[in-house]
């Protein structure tokens, strides 16, 4: 099975990575802040639609995302 994740396509799924409020901490910045949003969204979709594949989940997030600008 081929992996859906392709690190050379950085815009595959995007998330905030600057000044992210995190669990009572001061705002944090960087990929570690954005990664939690993406993994949490994927986990939420997996729980809501347990029969979905990873590719289905990624597509759903890509199709439902709204650009900030």
């Amino acid at each position: 099975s081929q992996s859906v994740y392709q690190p050379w396509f950085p815009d595959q799924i995007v998330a905030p990575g600057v000044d992210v409020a995190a669990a009572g901490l001061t705002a944090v910045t960087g990929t570690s802040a954005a990664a939690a949003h993406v993994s949490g969204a994927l986990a939420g979709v997996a729980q809501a639609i347990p029969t979905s594949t990873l590719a289905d989940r990624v597509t759903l997030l890509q199709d439902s995302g709204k650009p900030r600008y």
Side-chain angles (χ1 to χ4, degrees):
S1 166
Q2 185 180 11
S3 174
V4 173
Y5 176 70
Q6 298 171 348
W8 53 90
F9 294 147
D11 61 345
Q12 202 167 31
I13 298 177
V14 297
V18 177
D19 295 333
V20 178
L25 302 174
T26 57
V28 293
T29 298
T31 55
S32 59
H37 282 81
V38 174
S39 60
L42 286 169
V45 173
Q47 185 174 16
I49 311 170
T51 58
S52 64
T53 65
L54 178 57
D56 294 336
R57 297 169 196 153
V58 169
T59 298
L60 187 140
L61 292 177
Q62 289 172 330
D63 291 348
S64 63
K66 296 180 181 166
R68 182 174 176 185
Y69 302 103

